[in-house]
Coordinates of all heavy atoms in Angstrom, one line a residue:
Chain A
C46 N 100.2 51.5 126.8 CA 101.1 50.5 126.7 C 101.1 49.8 125.3 O 100.0 49.5 124.8 CB 100.9 49.4 127.8 SG 101.9 47.9 127.6
G47 N 102.2 49.7 124.7 CA 102.3 49.1 123.4 C 102.2 47.6 123.5 O 102.0 46.9 122.4
G48 N 102.2 47.0 124.7 CA 102.0 45.6 124.8 C 100.6 45.2 125.0 O 100.0 44.4 124.2
C49 N 99.9 45.8 126.0 CA 98.5 45.4 126.3 C 97.5 46.4 126.1 O 96.3 46.2 126.3 CB 98.5 44.9 127.8 SG 98.6 46.2 129.0
G50 N 97.9 47.7 125.8 CA 96.9 48.7 125.5 C 96.4 49.4 126.8 O 95.6 50.4 126.7
R51 N 96.9 49.0 127.9 CA 96.5 49.7 129.2 C 96.9 51.2 129.2 O 98.0 51.5 128.7 CB 97.2 49.0 130.3 CG 97.1 49.6 131.7 CD 98.0 48.8 132.6 NE 98.1 49.3 134.0 CZ 97.6 48.6 135.0 NH1 97.1 47.4 134.9 NH2 97.7 49.1 136.2
C71 N 105.2 48.4 132.1 CA 103.8 48.5 132.3 C 103.5 47.7 133.6 O 103.9 46.6 133.8 CB 103.1 47.9 131.1 SG 101.3 47.7 131.4
A72 N 102.6 48.4 134.5 CA 102.3 47.7 135.7 C 101.3 46.6 135.5 O 101.1 45.7 136.3 CB 101.6 48.7 136.7
G73 N 100.7 46.5 134.3 CA 99.8 45.5 134.0 C 100.4 44.3 133.4 O 100.2 43.1 133.8
C74 N 101.3 44.5 132.4 CA 101.8 43.3 131.6 C 103.3 43.3 131.6 O 103.9 42.4 131.0 CB 101.3 43.3 130.2 SG 102.1 44.6 129.1
S75 N 104.0 44.2 132.3 CA 105.4 44.2 132.4 C 106.2 44.5 131.1 O 107.4 44.5 131.0 CB 105.9 42.8 132.9 OG 107.1 42.9 133.5
H76 N 105.5 44.8 130.0 CA 106.1 45.3 128.8 C 107.0 46.5 129.0 O 106.7 47.3 129.8 CB 104.9 45.7 127.8 CG 105.4 46.1 126.5 ND1 105.9 45.3 125.6 CD2 105.3 47.3 125.9 CE1 106.2 45.9 124.4 NE2 105.8 47.2 124.6
L78 N 108.1 49.8 128.6 CA 107.6 51.1 128.0 C 108.7 52.0 127.6 O 108.5 52.8 126.6 CB 106.7 51.8 129.0 CG 105.5 51.0 129.6 CD1 104.8 51.8 130.7 CD2 104.6 50.6 128.5
Ligands
LIG2 ZN1 100.9 46.6 129.3

Side-chain angles (χ1 to χ4, degrees):
Chain A
C46 172
C49 71
R51 174 191 177 112
C71 173
C74 75
S75 206
H76 181 70
L78 302 175

